[in-house]
Amino acid sequence: MEPYDALLASITPKSGETRTITDPATGTAIGEAPIHTLEDLEQAINAAQAAQPAWDGLGHEARSAVLLKAADAIERSAAELAHLLSREQGKPLNGLNARFEVGGCVAWLRAAATTPLEAQTLVDDGETYAELHYKPIGVVGAIGPWNWPMMITIWQIAPALRMGNAVVVKPSEYTPLSVLALVKVLNEEIPEGLLTVVSGDRTVGARLAEHPAVGKIMFTGSTATGKAIIKSSADTVKRLTLELGGNDAGIVLPDADPKAIAQDLFWGAFLNTGQTCSALKRLYVHTDIYDAVCEELTKVAVAAPMGNGLDENNVLGPLQNKAQYDIVANLVEAARASGARILLGGNPDAGQPGYFYPTTLVADIENDNPLVAEEQFGPALPIIRYSTVDDAVEKANALDVGLGASVWSSNRDAAREVAARIQAGTVWINKHGAVDPRIPFGGAKQSGYGLEFGIEGLKALGTPQVINL
């Protein structure tokens, strides 16, 4: 018996076409996911349209109360959700992984429910009085990824519901069970019809993006798919929030302490086994401390156990799917062939079940190498040597993406000066990838547009309305 058996049974289709979902750590079957159709999508959108006006009419306070109860429901089912997530996505239960993700769902849902959003007085000069309000959009489409399937779904649906919208969710085909289970739990408290999952293929996602009854699309995924959504949404002038691909740079200044920063550098890069949009994916280190940083990072990496996520000792897991495994393996092999130095890893065990790629650190690599220039989205970190800060900043800014970045230094003022020169939506200092439900998050350049989290995230799920007296 698995801890999630009852929950899984509740989302297993009793009829209709299904698809077997397998564990990326073992290749064994987990369960059956429905293959929803365009007709199912139409039914979900119709139900959302019917339920949304009454939900809007409740007002912020009553909607927030419902969402807080929904957060409590997630907490009640946390063990089952975490185990199912670990099996389907591959991430370990322990560390910043499955249990952490379920806890993040609770935290972000509560934050969306309790963040105040008052009407803003724009002008009050005795002659003119103007207020800015935010009204619901109507029906929101939420299209999510496979790397953080539960938490990113909450990032999308929590503010949408708080602002009075209904939501239709399209999960990744790789991780539908996690999202179906999460929404099943949420719907214990949320009124019927407001929140529906349509677990279909890309044709379903494409139709959701272009559907005339959907007023906004929230999407987290690749830049290529984001561009397709922009095109398909044009005819209906949909509002969009797009969190797209990234290739985050970290710059280690010469005054940094290699030993002190090694642990945070490692987890900035290898959180969720590197399968995080805002993970540290290319590390620029000043030549004066280059060898020391490589040495300290290697020590940390060797001590981080990788294996089946249900083993409480592991903190790193497999890549979620074969396609992503092949991308990482090919990029590392190209780096090796170019003459780069493999400090650790790069030697997967072909006889091991599952999509495990070993923790890999690559040194003495050129900035134009594909492992640096392309988003690897896995457990392989290239470490690039630089001589001047100007050179490091230029290299960090050279790509057409800019989701996040980081600067590492013992001098906060010096780090802030460098951070201000980096073209990215968020620049962290002496940490990387630390998102917070109170702090807006979004990308620059081709990493997308629109903000999530905090007050700005709520506003993005509403239509601004000025009342002018």
Side-chain angles (χ1 to χ4, degrees):
M1 292 285 292
E2 297 283 2
Y4 53 76
D5 276 349
L7 183 57
L8 183 61
S10 72
I11 61 171
T12 299
K14 303 301 185 289
S15 61
E17 191 177 358
T18 64
R19 184 165 53 88
T20 302
I21 304 299
T22 57
D23 184 336
T26 64
T28 58
I30 304 168
E32 296 294 315
I35 300 178
H36 288 138
T37 64
L38 293 176
E39 182 180 350
D40 294 319
L41 175 63
E42 289 296 329
Q43 292 176 358
I45 292 173
N46 290 339
Q49 287 182 292
Q52 188 271 328
W55 179 245
D56 174 24
L58 290 178
H60 280 294
E61 186 174 345
R63 291 196 298 269
S64 292
V66 172
L67 294 180
L68 290 173
K69 289 182 179 179
D72 293 341
I74 296 175
E75 278 196 323
R76 290 193 299 269
S77 298
E80 297 97 317
L81 290 170
H83 276 79
L84 178 58
L85 175 63
S86 182
R87 290 276 331 263
E88 183 178 48
Q89 202 282 333
K91 63 184 63 182
L93 290 169
N94 266 343
L96 301 177
N97 292 297
R99 293 188 181 111
F100 169 81
E101 180 168 348
V102 174
C105 291
V106 175
W108 255 267
L109 187 51
R110 287 179 175 157
T114 57
T115 297
L117 180 59
E118 306 295 338
Q120 179 184 355
T121 300
L122 302 174
V123 178
D124 185 7
D125 62 5
E127 295 183 2
T128 300
Y129 180 81
E131 289 180 343
L132 177 61
H133 298 256
Y134 286 86
K135 311 294 287 183
I137 295 168
V139 178
V140 173
I143 304 175
W146 49 258
N147 58 331
W148 295 90
M150 290 185 180
M151 190 153 68
I152 290 178
T153 294
I154 288 290
W155 291 357
Q156 296 171 334
I157 67 178
L161 291 170
R162 160 67 194 282
M163 294 301 290
N165 303 291
V167 188
V168 177
V169 178
K170 164 62 175 69
S172 166
E173 295 173 67
Y174 288 115
T175 52
L177 298 178
S178 296
V179 177
L180 284 160
L182 175 67
V183 171
K184 168 71 175 175
V185 171
L186 291 170
N187 279 336
E188 294 173 9
E189 301 292 346
I190 293 171
E192 186 176 355
L194 275 174
L195 178 61
T196 307
V197 180
V198 182
S199 174
D201 58 19
R202 292 185 180 184
T203 61
V204 171
R207 177 57 180 161
L208 179 62
E210 69 183 14
H211 200 289
V214 176
K216 170 149 188 166
I217 293 292
M218 299 193 73
F219 171 72
T220 297
S222 71
T223 298
T225 304
K227 290 177 180 179
I229 289 173
I230 293 169
K231 292 175 182 177
S232 65
S233 69
D235 286 345
T236 52
V237 196
K238 284 188 186 6
R239 289 151 181 79
L240 300 173
T241 296
L242 304 174
E243 197 258 84
L244 307 179
N247 194 343
D248 288 15
I251 298 177
V252 180
L253 300 184
D255 64 1
D257 180 345
K259 188 175 183 64
I261 66 174
Q263 190 83 19
D264 290 331
L265 279 174
F266 178 81
W267 286 114
F270 291 91
L271 174 67
N272 194 25
T273 316
Q275 300 166 107
T276 297
C277 300
S278 58
L280 173 57
K281 297 186 175 78
R282 48 196 175 111
L283 182 62
Y284 298 93
V285 181
H286 192 273
T287 188
D288 289 352
I289 57 172
Y290 185 86
D291 291 335
V293 168
C294 289
E295 181 181 351
E296 295 299 332
L297 260 178
T298 302
K299 290 178 183 177
V300 174
V302 166
M306 175 184 288
N308 191 308
L310 298 182
D311 183 335
E312 298 279 357
N313 295 311
N314 293 325
V315 292
L316 299 171
L319 289 159
Q320 202 285 323
N321 55 79
K322 179 63 161 56
Q324 195 58 45
Y325 178 96
D326 289 343
I327 289 171
V328 176
N330 291 337
L331 287 172
V332 172
E333 284 311 303
R336 190 197 308 272
S338 74
R341 179 163 54 104
I342 309 296
L343 298 174
L344 180 71
N347 55 342
D349 182 356
Q352 181 182 28
Y355 304 130
F356 288 96
Y357 195 88
T359 306
T360 300
L361 299 173
V362 182
D364 300 334
I365 186 169
E366 296 298 322
N367 196 57
D368 60 356
N369 190 284
L371 183 60
V372 180
E374 300 175 19
E375 184 182 24
Q376 69 275 46
F377 215 69
L381 179 65
I383 309 169
I384 306 99
R385 189 190 302 266
Y386 77 89
S387 298
T388 69
V389 172
D390 288 346
D391 179 46
V393 171
E394 181 180 357
K395 288 176 177 175
N397 289 339
L399 301 182
D400 58 6
V401 290
L403 188 56
S406 56
V407 181
W408 304 76
S409 173
S410 298
N411 184 325
R412 178 174 292 186
D413 291 337
R416 285 172 64 95
E417 290 179 8
V418 175
R421 299 171 60 189
I422 298 176
Q423 298 164 0
T426 299
V427 183
W428 292 276
I429 293 176
N430 292 331
K431 56 185 176 181
H432 196 109
V435 293
D436 186 307
R438 301 165 298 178
I439 301 172
F441 178 74
K445 299 193 279 191
Q446 293 193 32
S447 287
Y449 48 71
L451 291 172
E452 300 177 274
F453 314 159
I455 293 175
E456 297 305 319
L458 293 179
K459 291 178 179 179
L461 271 302
T463 298
Q465 181 187 59
V466 174
I467 297 179
N468 192 325
L469 303 178

